[in-house]
Amino acid sequence: MNMPVMMPAPSLGALLPMHLVVSRDGAVLSVGPTLSKIAPQLAQGLDLLLPARGDKTRPLLAICSDAVASGERLFLRIAGIDDLVLRGHAVELAGGAMLLNLGFGADLKAAIRRAGLTDDDFAPSELAMEFLFLQEANLGVLRELARFNSQLARSREAAIQQAQTDPLTGLGNRRGLELALQAALKRPHEVGMSPEECAFALVHLDLDHFKQVNDRLGHKAGDELLRHVGVVLRGIVRKVDIAARIGGDEFVLILRRMTNHGDIGRIADRLIGSIRALSPPELGELRVSASLGVVIWRPGDTEDMVDLLHQTDEALYASKREGRGRATIR
């Protein structure tokens, strides 16, 4: 069987810039120009090359000889360079020399970064730089898609939030309240919570004498008062609670895990007092106040949202009938 003969070094380097030619006794006869950039000392001897797989104690020359005989791939690394594994194969040349043709495989990017390689450092037939470009382009597209999807998600979330927010007060609107109330009325096992954690107080608040503010002082003053009421409600409710303006001068609160009459009464007193302090002095003796109707809901009570809101309406109008500026808790 005829063995391949080695061509002149410049031609070999142009075709196989990552080649290594080793004599029968282990002397380095030729090193490709790209491989020289990665390991300049390799021309002085094989000691710089180490096995990357298998029995790492075996002599490198024996490993290369076995690769020639079996046709199996070689996996080598360069001493002192831990982020590169050279992959390749070996063939026998005349006189028992061996030609190793190596490559970077998945470590191509690390090799380019380490040695500043360019397209000129690869054989014309190789697609290394093209693959690297495609990889970078693909990563760029993926980054852009991720950014776009993130922006789209934020825009969607903002649109949903806007659709559920009252533009005048910044509180929730009727739609936002309905969604929150539907979620609050779920059974404990559906949300993985105890009955006590699911309980809440539903508060229906209505401003007393608000019509007179609009009639006497104008709608601008009425809107300003509603904005201040929104500030009061946001300052009193907790993060877990819901505050919504459902129309005109009507507000509804969901106070989660709030079932103690005494605690609810103290919150109601704070609301009534804070809103009374907002009454425009131009009204004279007529004072804006707040009437509240409160229903405590526990699992097992009605799960009909309309029925529950109707109960708070009844409690609210009981407060109106009894003189306004007070709370009725049921």
Side-chain angles (χ1 to χ4, degrees), residues 34 41 50 53 73 76 90 104 116 124 129 138 151 183 188 192 199 220 250 272 275 291 297 311 323-324:
T34 302
Q41 303 90 342
L50 305 170
R53 294 186 183 179
R73 296 180 69 191
L76 309 175
F104 301 114
M129 296 302 290
N138 185 51
Q151 183 178 4
K220 184 177 180 180
E250 292 184 76
I272 293 168
I275 291 174
S291 295
W297 183 90
Q311 292 180 38
R324 301 178 177 178

PDB file of all heavy atoms in Angstrom, residues 34 41 50 53 73 76 90 104 116 124 129 138 151 183 188 192 199 220 250 272 275 291 297 311 323-324:
ATOM      1  N   THR A  34      -1.829  28.451  11.482  1.00  0.00           N
ATOM      2  CA  THR A  34      -2.888  28.781  12.469  1.00  0.00           C
ATOM      3  C   THR A  34      -2.608  28.085  13.787  1.00  0.00           C
ATOM      4  O   THR A  34      -2.770  28.678  14.866  1.00  0.00           O
ATOM      5  CB  THR A  34      -4.265  28.373  11.921  1.00  0.00           C
ATOM      6  OG1 THR A  34      -4.497  29.047  10.680  1.00  0.00           O
ATOM      7  CG2 THR A  34      -5.367  28.742  12.902  1.00  0.00           C
ATOM      8  N   GLN A  41       5.137  27.462  20.742  1.00  0.00           N
ATOM      9  CA  GLN A  41       6.236  26.605  21.192  1.00  0.00           C
ATOM     10  C   GLN A  41       6.138  25.183  20.659  1.00  0.00           C
ATOM     11  O   GLN A  41       7.017  24.355  20.905  1.00  0.00           O
ATOM     12  CB  GLN A  41       6.276  26.548  22.723  1.00  0.00           C
ATOM     13  CG  GLN A  41       6.401  27.904  23.407  1.00  0.00           C
ATOM     14  CD  GLN A  41       5.044  28.521  23.705  1.00  0.00           C
ATOM     15  OE1 GLN A  41       4.027  28.121  23.127  1.00  0.00           O
ATOM     16  NE2 GLN A  41       5.030  29.507  24.592  1.00  0.00           N
ATOM     17  N   LEU A  50      -1.119  17.354  24.978  1.00  0.00           N
ATOM     18  CA  LEU A  50      -1.528  16.363  25.974  1.00  0.00           C
ATOM     19  C   LEU A  50      -2.822  15.697  25.538  1.00  0.00           C
ATOM     20  O   LEU A  50      -3.658  16.327  24.872  1.00  0.00           O
ATOM     21  CB  LEU A  50      -1.739  17.050  27.338  1.00  0.00           C
ATOM     22  CG  LEU A  50      -0.569  17.871  27.886  1.00  0.00           C
ATOM     23  CD1 LEU A  50      -1.031  18.675  29.099  1.00  0.00           C
ATOM     24  CD2 LEU A  50       0.597  16.957  28.241  1.00  0.00           C
ATOM     25  N   ARG A  53      -8.690  13.033  26.268  1.00  0.00           N
ATOM     26  CA  ARG A  53      -9.651  11.992  26.623  1.00  0.00           C
ATOM     27  C   ARG A  53      -8.930  10.667  26.811  1.00  0.00           C
ATOM     28  O   ARG A  53      -7.779  10.511  26.421  1.00  0.00           O
ATOM     29  CB  ARG A  53     -10.731  11.850  25.550  1.00  0.00           C
ATOM     30  CG  ARG A  53     -11.635  13.060  25.397  1.00  0.00           C
ATOM     31  CD  ARG A  53     -12.761  12.776  24.431  1.00  0.00           C
ATOM     32  NE  ARG A  53     -13.610  13.933  24.219  1.00  0.00           N
ATOM     33  CZ  ARG A  53     -14.656  13.959  23.403  1.00  0.00           C
ATOM     34  NH1 ARG A  53     -14.971  12.876  22.707  1.00  0.00           N
ATOM     35  NH2 ARG A  53     -15.368  15.055  23.275  1.00  0.00           N
ATOM     36  N   ARG A  73     -10.844   9.365  15.925  1.00  0.00           N
ATOM     37  CA  ARG A  73     -10.540  10.785  16.071  1.00  0.00           C
ATOM     38  C   ARG A  73      -9.592  11.020  17.249  1.00  0.00           C
ATOM     39  O   ARG A  73      -9.584  10.261  18.221  1.00  0.00           O
ATOM     40  CB  ARG A  73     -11.818  11.600  16.295  1.00  0.00           C
ATOM     41  CG  ARG A  73     -12.756  11.557  15.112  1.00  0.00           C
ATOM     42  CD  ARG A  73     -13.996  12.389  15.392  1.00  0.00           C
ATOM     43  NE  ARG A  73     -13.690  13.812  15.444  1.00  0.00           N
ATOM     44  CZ  ARG A  73     -14.513  14.755  15.868  1.00  0.00           C
ATOM     45  NH1 ARG A  73     -15.714  14.392  16.323  1.00  0.00           N
ATOM     46  NH2 ARG A  73     -14.161  16.013  15.865  1.00  0.00           N
ATOM     47  N   LEU A  76      -7.016  16.316  21.675  1.00  0.00           N
ATOM     48  CA  LEU A  76      -5.796  16.791  22.323  1.00  0.00           C
ATOM     49  C   LEU A  76      -6.030  18.170  22.919  1.00  0.00           C
ATOM     50  O   LEU A  76      -6.924  18.911  22.498  1.00  0.00           O
ATOM     51  CB  LEU A  76      -4.654  16.870  21.310  1.00  0.00           C
ATOM     52  CG  LEU A  76      -4.386  15.613  20.464  1.00  0.00           C
ATOM     53  CD1 LEU A  76      -3.318  15.899  19.425  1.00  0.00           C
ATOM     54  CD2 LEU A  76      -3.966  14.446  21.362  1.00  0.00           C
ATOM     55  N   ALA A  90      -5.450  11.449  12.107  1.00  0.00           N
ATOM     56  CA  ALA A  90      -4.044  11.289  11.743  1.00  0.00           C
ATOM     57  C   ALA A  90      -3.912  10.267  10.621  1.00  0.00           C
ATOM     58  O   ALA A  90      -4.659   9.283  10.562  1.00  0.00           O
ATOM     59  CB  ALA A  90      -3.230  10.850  12.964  1.00  0.00           C
ATOM     60  N   PHE A 104     -10.834  23.098  15.837  1.00  0.00           N
ATOM     61  CA  PHE A 104     -11.290  23.597  17.137  1.00  0.00           C
ATOM     62  C   PHE A 104     -12.669  23.076  17.548  1.00  0.00           C
ATOM     63  O   PHE A 104     -13.028  23.122  18.721  1.00  0.00           O
ATOM     64  CB  PHE A 104     -11.342  25.131  17.126  1.00  0.00           C
ATOM     65  CG  PHE A 104     -10.019  25.763  16.838  1.00  0.00           C
ATOM     66  CD1 PHE A 104      -9.810  26.480  15.667  1.00  0.00           C
ATOM     67  CD2 PHE A 104      -8.967  25.641  17.731  1.00  0.00           C
ATOM     68  CE1 PHE A 104      -8.594  27.066  15.401  1.00  0.00           C
ATOM     69  CE2 PHE A 104      -7.742  26.231  17.476  1.00  0.00           C
ATOM     70  CZ  PHE A 104      -7.549  26.943  16.298  1.00  0.00           C
ATOM     71  N   GLY A 116      -6.835  35.887  18.187  1.00  0.00           N
ATOM     72  CA  GLY A 116      -7.189  36.941  17.231  1.00  0.00           C
ATOM     73  C   GLY A 116      -7.259  36.430  15.804  1.00  0.00           C
ATOM     74  O   GLY A 116      -6.824  37.103  14.862  1.00  0.00           O
ATOM     75  N   PRO A 124      -9.413  27.908   2.595  1.00  0.00           N
ATOM     76  CA  PRO A 124     -10.553  28.400   1.813  1.00  0.00           C
ATOM     77  C   PRO A 124     -11.742  27.444   1.815  1.00  0.00           C
ATOM     78  O   PRO A 124     -12.889  27.873   1.705  1.00  0.00           O
ATOM     79  CB  PRO A 124      -9.972  28.562   0.402  1.00  0.00           C
ATOM     80  CG  PRO A 124      -8.509  28.744   0.617  1.00  0.00           C
ATOM     81  CD  PRO A 124      -8.164  27.902   1.820  1.00  0.00           C
ATOM     82  N   MET A 129     -15.365  30.369   9.702  1.00  0.00           N
ATOM     83  CA  MET A 129     -15.790  31.743   9.919  1.00  0.00           C
ATOM     84  C   MET A 129     -17.252  31.935   9.546  1.00  0.00           C
ATOM     85  O   MET A 129     -17.970  32.708  10.179  1.00  0.00           O
ATOM     86  CB  MET A 129     -14.908  32.707   9.116  1.00  0.00           C
ATOM     87  CG  MET A 129     -13.449  32.702   9.553  1.00  0.00           C
ATOM     88  SD  MET A 129     -13.215  33.125  11.302  1.00  0.00           S
ATOM     89  CE  MET A 129     -13.638  34.858  11.301  1.00  0.00           C
ATOM     90  N   ASN A 138     -27.265  34.383  14.615  1.00  0.00           N
ATOM     91  CA  ASN A 138     -28.371  33.701  15.273  1.00  0.00           C
ATOM     92  C   ASN A 138     -28.554  34.210  16.699  1.00  0.00           C
ATOM     93  O   ASN A 138     -29.688  34.468  17.143  1.00  0.00           O
ATOM     94  CB  ASN A 138     -28.111  32.187  15.285  1.00  0.00           C
ATOM     95  CG  ASN A 138     -29.276  31.408  15.857  1.00  0.00           C
ATOM     96  OD1 ASN A 138     -30.416  31.594  15.446  1.00  0.00           O
ATOM     97  ND2 ASN A 138     -28.997  30.533  16.801  1.00  0.00           N
ATOM     98  N   GLN A 151     -40.496  43.496  25.497  1.00  0.00           N
ATOM     99  CA  GLN A 151     -41.170  44.779  25.308  1.00  0.00           C
ATOM    100  C   GLN A 151     -42.654  44.561  25.040  1.00  0.00           C
ATOM    101  O   GLN A 151     -43.507  45.308  25.550  1.00  0.00           O
ATOM    102  CB  GLN A 151     -40.528  45.530  24.143  1.00  0.00           C
ATOM    103  CG  GLN A 151     -41.111  46.924  23.905  1.00  0.00           C
ATOM    104  CD  GLN A 151     -40.402  47.637  22.756  1.00  0.00           C
ATOM    105  OE1 GLN A 151     -39.541  47.079  22.098  1.00  0.00           O
ATOM    106  NE2 GLN A 151     -40.773  48.874  22.525  1.00  0.00           N
ATOM    107  N   ALA A 183     -61.595  36.571  41.583  1.00  0.00           N
ATOM    108  CA  ALA A 183     -60.464  35.811  42.124  1.00  0.00           C
ATOM    109  C   ALA A 183     -60.614  35.606  43.627  1.00  0.00           C
ATOM    110  O   ALA A 183     -60.300  34.536  44.151  1.00  0.00           O
ATOM    111  CB  ALA A 183     -59.152  36.535  41.819  1.00  0.00           C
ATOM    112  N   PRO A 188     -61.168  27.883  48.853  1.00  0.00           N
ATOM    113  CA  PRO A 188     -59.791  27.754  49.396  1.00  0.00           C
ATOM    114  C   PRO A 188     -58.948  26.720  48.666  1.00  0.00           C
ATOM    115  O   PRO A 188     -57.765  26.955  48.389  1.00  0.00           O
ATOM    116  CB  PRO A 188     -60.025  27.378  50.858  1.00  0.00           C
ATOM    117  CG  PRO A 188     -61.357  27.975  51.194  1.00  0.00           C
ATOM    118  CD  PRO A 188     -62.172  27.859  49.926  1.00  0.00           C
ATOM    119  N   GLY A 192     -55.180  27.094  47.066  1.00  0.00           N
ATOM    120  CA  GLY A 192     -54.187  26.573  47.990  1.00  0.00           C
ATOM    121  C   GLY A 192     -54.039  27.393  49.250  1.00  0.00           C
ATOM    122  O   GLY A 192     -52.920  27.552  49.760  1.00  0.00           O
ATOM    123  N   ALA A 199     -60.824  34.697  53.541  1.00  0.00           N
ATOM    124  CA  ALA A 199     -61.868  35.621  53.990  1.00  0.00           C
ATOM    125  C   ALA A 199     -61.460  37.070  53.713  1.00  0.00           C
ATOM    126  O   ALA A 199     -60.285  37.403  53.662  1.00  0.00           O
ATOM    127  CB  ALA A 199     -62.143  35.420  55.469  1.00  0.00           C
ATOM    128  N   LYS A 220     -64.748  70.719  38.028  1.00  0.00           N
ATOM    129  CA  LYS A 220     -63.304  70.700  38.254  1.00  0.00           C
ATOM    130  C   LYS A 220     -63.001  70.487  39.732  1.00  0.00           C
ATOM    131  O   LYS A 220     -62.115  69.691  40.099  1.00  0.00           O
ATOM    132  CB  LYS A 220     -62.681  72.003  37.760  1.00  0.00           C
ATOM    133  CG  LYS A 220     -61.168  72.032  37.870  1.00  0.00           C
ATOM    134  CD  LYS A 220     -60.597  73.318  37.291  1.00  0.00           C
ATOM    135  CE  LYS A 220     -59.084  73.341  37.406  1.00  0.00           C
ATOM    136  NZ  LYS A 220     -58.497  74.590  36.857  1.00  0.00           N
ATOM    137  N   GLU A 250     -68.571  56.683  43.932  1.00  0.00           N
ATOM    138  CA  GLU A 250     -68.670  55.380  44.603  1.00  0.00           C
ATOM    139  C   GLU A 250     -67.335  54.644  44.507  1.00  0.00           C
ATOM    140  O   GLU A 250     -66.712  54.587  43.438  1.00  0.00           O
ATOM    141  CB  GLU A 250     -69.764  54.524  43.976  1.00  0.00           C
ATOM    142  CG  GLU A 250     -71.164  55.045  44.194  1.00  0.00           C
ATOM    143  CD  GLU A 250     -72.192  54.080  43.619  1.00  0.00           C
ATOM    144  OE1 GLU A 250     -72.443  53.028  44.245  1.00  0.00           O
ATOM    145  OE2 GLU A 250     -72.717  54.387  42.530  1.00  0.00           O
ATOM    146  N   ILE A 272     -63.518  57.711  57.153  1.00  0.00           N
ATOM    147  CA  ILE A 272     -64.528  58.759  57.307  1.00  0.00           C
ATOM    148  C   ILE A 272     -63.882  60.067  57.752  1.00  0.00           C
ATOM    149  O   ILE A 272     -64.176  61.151  57.217  1.00  0.00           O
ATOM    150  CB  ILE A 272     -65.618  58.302  58.304  1.00  0.00           C
ATOM    151  CG1 ILE A 272     -66.403  57.124  57.703  1.00  0.00           C
ATOM    152  CG2 ILE A 272     -66.560  59.455  58.663  1.00  0.00           C
ATOM    153  CD1 ILE A 272     -67.304  56.407  58.703  1.00  0.00           C
ATOM    154  N   ILE A 275     -61.699  61.619  54.883  1.00  0.00           N
ATOM    155  CA  ILE A 275     -62.497  62.188  53.789  1.00  0.00           C
ATOM    156  C   ILE A 275     -63.232  63.440  54.253  1.00  0.00           C
ATOM    157  O   ILE A 275     -63.374  64.422  53.509  1.00  0.00           O
ATOM    158  CB  ILE A 275     -63.460  61.122  53.233  1.00  0.00           C
ATOM    159  CG1 ILE A 275     -62.635  60.040  52.502  1.00  0.00           C
ATOM    160  CG2 ILE A 275     -64.480  61.746  52.291  1.00  0.00           C
ATOM    161  CD1 ILE A 275     -63.426  58.859  52.037  1.00  0.00           C
ATOM    162  N   SER A 291     -70.117  57.569  53.630  1.00  0.00           N
ATOM    163  CA  SER A 291     -70.925  56.508  54.224  1.00  0.00           C
ATOM    164  C   SER A 291     -70.402  55.179  53.701  1.00  0.00           C
ATOM    165  O   SER A 291     -70.079  55.046  52.516  1.00  0.00           O
ATOM    166  CB  SER A 291     -72.397  56.670  53.855  1.00  0.00           C
ATOM    167  OG  SER A 291     -72.923  57.856  54.420  1.00  0.00           O
ATOM    168  N   TRP A 297     -67.001  38.502  54.157  1.00  0.00           N
ATOM    169  CA  TRP A 297     -67.221  37.270  53.386  1.00  0.00           C
ATOM    170  C   TRP A 297     -66.258  36.194  53.850  1.00  0.00           C
ATOM    171  O   TRP A 297     -65.062  36.428  54.034  1.00  0.00           O
ATOM    172  CB  TRP A 297     -66.993  37.531  51.903  1.00  0.00           C
ATOM    173  CG  TRP A 297     -67.275  36.322  51.041  1.00  0.00           C
ATOM    174  CD1 TRP A 297     -68.459  35.984  50.473  1.00  0.00           C
ATOM    175  CD2 TRP A 297     -66.336  35.300  50.657  1.00  0.00           C
ATOM    176  NE1 TRP A 297     -68.337  34.818  49.766  1.00  0.00           N
ATOM    177  CE2 TRP A 297     -67.048  34.370  49.853  1.00  0.00           C
ATOM    178  CE3 TRP A 297     -64.993  35.085  50.924  1.00  0.00           C
ATOM    179  CZ2 TRP A 297     -66.434  33.253  49.310  1.00  0.00           C
ATOM    180  CZ3 TRP A 297     -64.386  33.962  50.381  1.00  0.00           C
ATOM    181  CH2 TRP A 297     -65.101  33.056  49.588  1.00  0.00           C
ATOM    182  N   GLN A 311     -75.441  43.095  48.697  1.00  0.00           N
ATOM    183  CA  GLN A 311     -75.430  43.121  50.161  1.00  0.00           C
ATOM    184  C   GLN A 311     -74.687  44.354  50.686  1.00  0.00           C
ATOM    185  O   GLN A 311     -75.114  44.978  51.657  1.00  0.00           O
ATOM    186  CB  GLN A 311     -74.781  41.851  50.698  1.00  0.00           C
ATOM    187  CG  GLN A 311     -75.568  40.575  50.454  1.00  0.00           C
ATOM    188  CD  GLN A 311     -74.861  39.362  51.024  1.00  0.00           C
ATOM    189  OE1 GLN A 311     -74.259  39.430  52.098  1.00  0.00           O
ATOM    190  NE2 GLN A 311     -74.924  38.245  50.319  1.00  0.00           N
ATOM    191  N   GLY A 323     -78.048  58.570  59.094  1.00  0.00           N
ATOM    192  CA  GLY A 323     -77.472  59.875  59.293  1.00  0.00           C
ATOM    193  C   GLY A 323     -76.218  60.178  58.522  1.00  0.00           C
ATOM    194  O   GLY A 323     -75.647  61.254  58.643  1.00  0.00           O
ATOM    195  N   ARG A 324     -75.727  59.238  57.731  1.00  0.00           N
ATOM    196  CA  ARG A 324     -74.532  59.438  56.890  1.00  0.00           C
ATOM    197  C   ARG A 324     -73.257  59.604  57.741  1.00  0.00           C
ATOM    198  O   ARG A 324     -73.328  59.753  58.955  1.00  0.00           O
ATOM    199  CB  ARG A 324     -74.706  60.624  55.958  1.00  0.00           C
ATOM    200  CG  ARG A 324     -75.895  60.492  55.017  1.00  0.00           C
ATOM    201  CD  ARG A 324     -76.047  61.719  54.136  1.00  0.00           C
ATOM    202  NE  ARG A 324     -77.144  61.551  53.200  1.00  0.00           N
ATOM    203  CZ  ARG A 324     -77.547  62.459  52.328  1.00  0.00           C
ATOM    204  NH1 ARG A 324     -76.903  63.611  52.258  1.00  0.00           N
ATOM    205  NH2 ARG A 324     -78.553  62.217  51.539  1.00  0.00           N
TER     206      ARG A 324
END
